[in-house]
């Protein structure tokens, strides 16, 4: 069975939603406190020297990290959770999947640990990344192609990011006001019966 190292509500939630949606069973290992010195830091660092969640250990012992890579891995065996290969939508899916982790995710990395990157101006870095993230979400809003999902009728693994990231800054009220389409997708993911348990375990509901 796959082992997921994570913390409720953290980025590991995105991978838990993807695994649950595709029906892949996993064992959750809570490494709360991993980002400070202590036993969970040591536990996680042994499998992932970067010490980030999600970190997965697969059936064969292989370590898998990066939510986008996890999505692509799951699509190998569950292709129905993304637009069909070769289609224009597939290209847009791939673009936005990588865009999300290359652009939006780092704004949290910098804002969560601002003293790591700008020891002399942590509040300024937190503020500037928050503003920049809003511009990213406003652009993403324009890319939404339909309802109820990002690509219209069929859910894709990209949709799994939205309810989790919406819980982080700038939070639900901002999304409802400024990016109603993203907000509706997050709501739709939150409404899926098969995800209720994992959403509750991660305090998304
Ligand atoms: N690019 C990674 C980012 C993962 C990430 O930054 N996770 C955060 C928690 S939400 C983390 O572990 N931060 C600790 C750190 O960066 O030191 C992904 O998409 O999985």
């Amino acid at each position: 069975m796959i082992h997921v190292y994570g913390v409720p509500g953290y980025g590991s939630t995105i991978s838990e939603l993807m695994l649950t949606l595709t029906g892949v069973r996993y064992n959750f290992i809570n490494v709360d406190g991993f980002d400070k010195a202590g036993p969970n830091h040591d536990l996680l660092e042994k499998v992932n020297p970067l010490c980030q969640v999600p970190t997965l250990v697969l059936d064969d012992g292989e370590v898998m990290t990066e939510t986008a890579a996890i999505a692509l891995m799951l699509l190998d065996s569950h292709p129905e959770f993304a637009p069909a290969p070769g289609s224009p939508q597939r290209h847009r899916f791939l673009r936005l999947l990588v865009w999300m982790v290359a652009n939006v995710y780092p704004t949290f990395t910098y804002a969560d640990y601002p003293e790591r990157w700008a020891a002399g101006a942590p509040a300024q870095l937190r503020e500037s990344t928050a503003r920049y993230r809003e511009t990213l979400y406003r652009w993403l809003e324009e890319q939404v192609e339909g309802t109820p999902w990002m690509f219209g009728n069929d859910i894709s693994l990209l949709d799994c990011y939205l309810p989790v990231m919406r819980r982080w800054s700038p939070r639900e009220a901002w999304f409802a006001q400024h990016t109603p389409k993203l907000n509706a997708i997050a709501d739709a993911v939150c409404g899926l019966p098969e995800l209720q348990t994992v959403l509750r375990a991660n305090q998304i509901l």
Side-chain angles (χ1 to χ4, degrees):
M1 189 185 294
I2 292 176
H3 298 283
V4 177
Y5 291 73
V7 178
Y10 281 46
S12 45
T13 312
I14 299 164
S15 63
E16 285 195 84
L17 290 176
M18 291 176 181
L19 288 159
T20 307
L21 200 58
T22 52
V24 176
R25 295 185 59 222
Y26 63 91
N27 170 47
F28 183 74
I29 300 167
N30 189 339
V31 288
D32 193 12
F34 72 92
D35 49 0
K36 297 172 197 67
N40 282 346
H41 174 88
D42 299 345
L43 182 70
L44 184 60
E45 196 181 31
K46 270 193 206 125
V47 269
N48 178 5
L50 201 54
C51 223
Q52 286 190 334
V53 297
T55 294
L56 275 54
V57 178
L58 307 181
D59 296 339
D60 60 1
E62 191 75 29
V63 173
M64 173 61 81
T65 61
E66 302 298 327
T67 50
I70 292 163
L72 294 172
M73 175 189 76
L74 290 170
L75 289 175
D76 285 346
S77 47
H78 300 83
E80 66 276 24
F81 289 98
S87 65
Q89 275 200 334
R90 175 63 160 219
H91 300 146
R92 295 197 287 272
F93 168 82
L94 292 172
R95 179 186 179 198
L96 292 182
L97 181 67
V98 173
W99 178 90
M100 189 74 105
V101 294
N103 293 283
V104 179
Y105 218 137
T107 68
F108 292 110
T109 308
Y110 302 138
D112 288 350
Y113 308 96
E115 56 293 326
R116 190 190 289 171
W117 316 103
Q124 190 184 345
L125 180 60
R126 188 170 276 139
E127 179 60 22
S128 60
T129 50
R131 296 290 80 76
Y132 183 62
R133 188 183 310 121
E134 289 174 5
T135 69
L136 295 174
Y137 283 138
R138 287 178 198 271
W139 180 81
L140 186 60
E141 172 82 355
E142 293 167 20
Q143 312 311 311
V144 175
E145 297 190 12
T147 56
W149 311 112
M150 180 76 75
F151 293 102
N153 290 332
D154 298 316
I155 193 168
S156 76
L157 294 185
L158 187 60
D159 296 307
C160 293
Y161 284 86
L162 291 171
V164 182
M165 288 188 164
R166 182 178 65 163
R167 283 315 298 273
W168 305 342
S169 167
R171 304 201 56 114
E172 284 88 340
W174 186 91
F175 281 89
Q177 185 178 353
H178 300 286
T179 58
K181 290 189 262 182
L182 298 179
N183 199 47
I185 295 168
D187 281 344
V189 175
C190 288
L192 289 175
E194 63 270 41
L195 297 182
Q196 297 303 294
T197 303
V198 65
L199 287 164
R200 282 184 205 292
N202 285 284
Q203 293 119 36
I204 305 295
L205 291 180

